[in-house]
Amino acid sequence: VSEYEESISPELQEIINKKIETGKSRIPEKYIDFTDTKVSFACKKNGTILEPIENGLLYCYLPTSATWGFPFLLNSDMIPKGDRDDIETEVKLTDEINFNSEISKIAGSKFFDWIKDLLTSKEFEVRSVFSLIPNFDTCKKEHSEYYDDFIFEFRNSFENKLWEHKFIPVQNDIVNIKKIIFDKTGLSEIGIISDEA
């Protein structure tokens, strides 16, 4: 399990506080003066191989029955429904801001950090680390449109960092994905290029 923390912007914190103070919000009072949020990820490990979890569940510190089809477990400060069988979709802070969507954005950003940390640790087979990156189009297609906004925010946040930051290990360095040459020859698929290279 890997855990990451992110500060909540003062502007968002103020909006959350005001929403809770109205008494008409689904946001629990424990979120008053909510300054930091934590996101954690987990998958199976078999030696140096990381193994995906089929339809990993979403946790809000306790498990829910919700899944976005991601190949890992995701734990965050998203707000679950009262019976914990799902997460709330309508936790509006303003007409434009949904609480759980904001947490999804943060989770996507931290997912990038997790993948980068796994890759640069050199403890795990690179291919197995990449197996943890969801096929977002499939996730969206195979799961309720109820989750579309959350998957979109997670993906968008992850991909923004993917294009902006270095995270691909090469020999004694890490590079931005834009520096990687796409292999159309198939050489990388026949063992000439491998984790040992």
Side-chain angles (χ1 to χ4, degrees), residues 27-39:
I27 304 172
E29 287 199 16
K30 69 177 184 176
Y31 288 93
I32 288 216
D33 298 330
F34 181 54
T35 57
D36 298 288
T37 185
K38 291 182 180 172
V39 180

Side-chain angles (χ1 to χ4, degrees), residues 2-4 39-43 50-52 70-73 107-134 136 154 158-159 161-162 165-169 174-175 177:
S2 298
E3 185 174 85
Y4 298 86
V39 180
S40 56
F41 307 93
C43 65
L50 298 175
E51 299 175 345
F70 290 174
F72 51 84
L73 302 177
S109 170
K110 297 306 169 191
F111 176 63
F112 171 87
D113 295 343
W114 182 48
I115 294 296
K116 179 180 178 180
D117 288 347
L118 293 172
L119 287 169
T120 57
S121 75
K122 300 189 178 180
E123 293 177 41
F124 307 105
E125 290 189 15
V126 170
R127 188 178 298 220
S128 76
V129 175
F130 284 122
S131 75
L132 300 175
I133 299 175
F136 293 106
F154 186 100
F158 168 71
E159 289 180 352
K161 279 188 95 166
L162 178 73
H165 300 279
K166 296 178 178 182
F167 93 117
I168 304 286
I174 58 171
V175 297
I177 196 168

Side-chain angles (χ1 to χ4, degrees), residues 50-97:
L50 298 175
E51 299 175 345
I53 294 171
E54 190 172 336
N55 287 319
L57 294 178
L58 298 175
Y59 284 66
C60 303
Y61 291 94
L62 294 171
T64 68
S65 301
T67 177
W68 296 344
F70 290 174
F72 51 84
L73 302 177
L74 168 63
N75 187 10
S76 72
D77 283 313
M78 280 189 264
I79 298 172
K81 289 192 171 182
D83 56 9
R84 303 198 67 84
D85 69 335
D86 214 331
I87 57 169
E88 290 283 1
T89 55
E90 293 299 319
V91 188
K92 296 280 189 179
L93 298 173
T94 68
D95 287 341
E96 296 83 33
I97 303 174

Side-chain angles (χ1 to χ4, degrees), residues 5 19 39 45 62 82 103 108 138 164 172 175 183 195:
E5 192 167 331
K19 194 70 175 178
V39 180
K45 182 178 152 187
L62 294 171
I103 300 297
T138 300
E164 292 170 13
N172 297 320
V175 297
D183 174 25
D195 288 287

Side-chain angles (χ1 to χ4, degrees), residues 135-184:
N135 179 325
F136 293 106
D137 291 331
T138 300
C139 293
K140 190 173 173 183
K141 188 170 33 172
E142 293 181 354
H143 290 79
S144 169
E145 61 184 41
Y146 177 83
Y147 300 129
D148 283 358
D149 182 53
F150 304 124
I151 294 171
F152 171 82
E153 296 295 356
F154 186 100
R155 176 184 189 168
N156 196 44
S157 187
F158 168 71
E159 289 180 352
N160 284 342
K161 279 188 95 166
L162 178 73
W163 293 108
E164 292 170 13
H165 300 279
K166 296 178 178 182
F167 93 117
I168 304 286
V170 292
Q171 291 188 326
N172 297 320
D173 197 7
I174 58 171
V175 297
N176 187 284
I177 196 168
K178 292 181 255 187
K179 300 275 186 192
I180 301 299
I181 298 170
F182 181 66
D183 174 25
K184 292 184 177 181

